[in-house]
Amino acid sequence: MNRQVLFICLHVLHSVVGQISYTIPEEMTKGSLVGNIAQDLGLEIKRLISGKAKIYTRKTDEYIELNRERGVLLVKERIDREALCTETTLCALHFQILLENPMEFYRVTVQITDVNDNAPTFEQREMQFKISEAAITGAKFELERAVDLDVGINGVHKYELKPTDNFALKVHNNPDGNKNVEMVLQKPLDREKQEQIYLVLTAVDGGEPQMSGTMLIVITVLDANDNAPVFTQSTYKATVTENSPKGTVVATVTATDADQGSNGKITYSIINTLENIRKMFEVNQEKGEIILMTNIDFEKSRNFQINLRATDDGGFTDSCKLIVDVQDVNDNNPEINIMSKSNVISEDAKVNTVVTMINIEDRDSGENGKVQCFINENVPFVLQTSTNNFYSLVTDSELDRERASEYNITVTCSDEGVPSLSSSVTLTLQISDVNDNAPVFERSSYEAYIVENNTPGLSVFTVKARDADWNQNARVSYILEDSSVNGVPVSSYVSVSADSGVIHAVRSFDYEQIKDFHFCVKAQDGGSPPLSSNVTVKILIQDQNDNPPQVLYPVQTGGSVVGEMVPRSADVGYLVSKVVAVDVDSGQNAWLSYKLQKATDRALFEVGLQNGEIRTIRQVTDKDAVNQKLTVIVEDNGQPSRSATVIVNVAVADSFSEVMSEFTDFKQDKEYNDNLTFYLVLALAVVSFLFITCLVVIISVKIYRWRQSRVLYHSNLPVIPYYPPRYSDTLGGTGTLQHVYNYEVCRTTDSRKSDCKFGRAGSQNVLIMDPSSTGTMQRIQSEKNILDEPDSPLEVGRTVLFTT
Ligand SMILES: *[C@@H]1O[C@H](CO)[C@@H](O)[C@H](O)[C@H]1NC(C)=O
Ligand SMILES: *[C@@H]1O[C@H](CO)[C@@H](O)[C@H](O)[C@H]1NC(C)=O
């Protein structure tokens, strides 16, 4: 304790006036010694006691007391300088010490010195600031001052601010002695790093010991758009399967922005991307989802690159890249391309002939694009694969157009995707014809009937051959094979129409001349070389009732008269004669019946209907005329029937002389007969003339035909019908046999039997006579038949064949 004792002796009054000063620090404890007043004033203790020394002060508060016994001043009460003097720098207590006997007083000043007993303090414990992070360095923020009740050196001495990262403290000494405390931004703030900053401002006084006060400064950093958005990746990858539906989210990109609020609000967009891709994808502005907008086709593009931008409200951006890989889906059928094909293949094509070349393409990839092809079964083709995706369709076995003229080959190709897709194509292949089939006649042989006396050129019937080949190879021509019938070329009998196979009769046939014949017809196709086959055609000629019966007996001649004699004694049933007739026709046409047409006496004779026997039917009487003339009609059974009449002269007499007496009757007839003879001779002359004329014509024609025959044969022209010279019966007389062609002479006793005989095949009783040589007589075998008959009832007259 620094105690300063100041002696100032002032003797202004008669009393001793002394002045004494002490200096004590404040806050001394009660009873502390302020000063030894007795000593300092030079007074004795006794005097103090006797003088009843006391302190006189006008103030009520008594801080100091006087101890008379000890002669010292003591601290009576704690002295607080700040309370006593506030800010006054010099703080002192003034009082007097009064003495009595003699009265004396002394002035005493006790100076109170400051003790550092107050810390600097701030009015508020905390100060709040809101500062934008965008605040520039150098920005100033005024702070509160600290207050220290102490004075002088014990007052606020300095300030400190901690930490000093962003702010520095600046203290201005104002002229009034006050200090302005500011903090200055030294380093920019970053809300994103530190949103709130806590600083402590400390005020320190200069006392000993030093005392301090603090204040908390809370700085809230306000956001500024100082951060750009940032994508989480610079490149994103995504896959999308093709044909994904619209609206599929392909990928999501994310960008972050460190800023707050609208400064950190990010909007996504597509930028710098090809127009076509831009149409395919859309980005959700807020969520960053990339959404598929159209159908996506792996076969068109396998990946896409989309550039994306993120923008915050402040306009800061970042960009990234999204690579979308498209995944293949088996959505393409294999394509079958026919590179080359033949629509037609010859049926004689060799095995392994290539018919079609096919190329396969599947636009899918991987397994989805692997293709296998096959063809339908049951076709003689096989699919061969040469190199990748190239197939050739080749023949597998021999072809036969006649079995199958067309094939539908279905080529089916499937890929190996799951599920597998396939496509198919049908090739129609025609098999072209090769002439490998000969024409085949419908029957192995033909038989046809033709009624005699046909008109030349009549179509008899048709042969038909079929050829399994096609078109020209199946165009059948019919050719009459050269042969001869009875020494005459068959072409003079029939002709065959080359196109239609119709067989025409070239001439009129006569059953009595020829009953049947056969020939060969060749069917030949139009192939090259042509193929052919033969058939035998047999023509049977049918009879017509074209010949009247021929009476063989009795012989009717112009000159001679044959007569039969009936004795007058003849009984009933006496066989007078027998009319013998033949008919060169056959069958019913040759079935003869006999009737009595006219008779001198109808009651005397009858004619056997079937056998032509003339018998008496009553006893002959003398009254009966000698000359009986019977007219017998012979009819055949044809339709219409033909007939011949014969006159039988019967003499009813017992002797020839009796007959002669009646000759005169014959004379009348003779005149008639002479006339007849004349006409016959005239007719003969005409016939002979005609015959010679015909002979000349025939020879001319023969020569002409001989010259033309080869030409005619090789040309396919229809055969010119050949009409031989007239060979029919020109004389036409009954009872004659000028034209006998082919017949059988039967027993007249039963003409029905002749039918049976006729039925026998290969009859020997055939007379063949050249129609052109009617004058020549041939031997008749049939004569023998009649004569050899042992039981023949015919005993009258012999059968004689006459000819002119
Ligand atoms: C082939 O197909 C065509 C058309 O579908 C059809 O007319 C024809 O009959 C078929 N041919 C065969 C041999 O199946
Ligand atoms: C046809 O017949 C003739 C003889 O008439 C014969 O030489 C020829 O070989 C036959 N042709 C056929 C294809 O049968």
Side-chain angles (χ1 to χ4, degrees), residues 481 520 532-534:
E481 289 272 28
C520 247
S532 63
S533 60
N534 289 347

Side-chain angles (χ1 to χ4, degrees), residues 404-409 426-430:
S405 66
E406 185 189 73
Y407 288 99
N408 285 339
I409 306 154
T426 298
L427 308 163
T428 300
L429 185 65
Q430 308 279 346

Side-chain angles (χ1 to χ4, degrees), residues 338-485:
I338 294 168
M339 296 160 69
S340 73
K341 73 167 186 176
S342 24
N343 292 320
V344 178
I345 181 173
S346 169
E347 62 177 319
D348 63 356
K350 292 199 176 64
V351 170
N352 270 333
T353 302
V354 176
V355 178
T356 306
M357 296 274 291
I358 295 169
N359 171 235
I360 311 297
E361 210 181 305
D362 193 306
R363 303 208 296 133
D364 293 320
S365 62
E367 296 290 297
N368 295 340
K370 273 192 194 161
V371 179
Q372 295 289 335
C373 291
F374 52 90
I375 57 167
N376 53 322
E377 286 171 5
N378 307 327
V379 290
F381 301 95
V382 64
L383 203 58
Q384 290 180 345
T385 175
S386 39
T387 56
N388 238 7
N389 293 338
F390 286 91
Y391 288 86
S392 46
L393 186 68
V394 299
T395 55
D396 191 24
S397 60
E398 310 234 307
L399 303 171
D400 183 4
R401 192 203 64 85
E402 286 72 37
R403 193 155 33 92
S405 66
E406 185 189 73
Y407 288 99
N408 285 339
I409 306 154
T410 303
V411 180
T412 307
C413 295
S414 337
D415 62 29
E416 290 176 10
V418 178
S420 163
L421 293 174
S422 67
S423 48
S424 66
V425 67
T426 298
L427 308 163
T428 300
L429 185 65
Q430 308 279 346
I431 310 300
S432 73
D433 189 43
V434 164
N435 193 24
D436 55 355
N437 286 282
V440 176
F441 280 98
E442 284 173 340
R443 290 162 62 179
S444 58
S445 67
Y446 290 91
E447 250 185 34
Y449 296 88
I450 180 167
V451 178
E452 64 173 332
N453 302 323
N454 57 291
T455 52
L458 177 77
S459 74
V460 183
F461 84 114
T462 306
V463 292
K464 187 102 191 132
R466 298 196 184 278
D467 192 307
D469 292 322
W470 184 74
N471 207 2
Q472 193 63 30
N473 292 336
R475 186 163 294 159
V476 179
S477 305
Y478 302 91
I479 299 156
L480 183 63
E481 289 272 28
D482 211 12
S483 63
S484 63
V485 176

Side-chain angles (χ1 to χ4, degrees), residues 4-59:
Q4 212 174 1
V5 181
L6 180 68
F7 291 101
I8 306 154
C9 293
L10 295 170
H11 297 280
V12 181
L13 298 170
H14 68 282
S15 55
V16 179
V17 177
Q19 190 164 357
I20 193 162
S21 183
Y22 297 100
T23 300
I24 58 165
E26 61 175 337
E27 307 283 349
M28 289 186 74
T29 52
K30 216 168 155 182
S32 299
L33 178 72
V34 176
N36 194 335
I37 191 115
Q39 190 185 342
D40 295 338
L41 290 177
L43 297 171
E44 286 178 22
I45 302 297
K46 286 176 205 170
R47 171 69 188 123
L48 289 177
I49 296 165
S50 64
K52 292 181 189 169
K54 61 175 186 188
I55 290 172
Y56 170 78
T57 179
R58 277 176 307 196
K59 292 195 181 159

Side-chain angles (χ1 to χ4, degrees), residues 678-723:
F678 169 75
Y679 289 125
L680 284 171
V681 169
L682 190 68
L684 185 64
V686 171
V687 167
S688 299
F689 172 74
L690 283 173
F691 169 66
I692 288 158
T693 310
C694 285
L695 209 62
V696 170
V697 169
I698 286 166
I699 288 161
S700 313
V701 168
K702 286 258 178 185
I703 290 163
Y704 177 74
R705 276 169 56 92
W706 176 76
R707 279 182 178 171
Q708 295 289 322
S709 60
R710 281 184 185 271
V711 183
L712 276 173
Y713 182 70
H714 287 290
S715 70
N716 271 339
L717 294 168
V719 178
I720 298 161
Y722 166 60
Y723 301 101

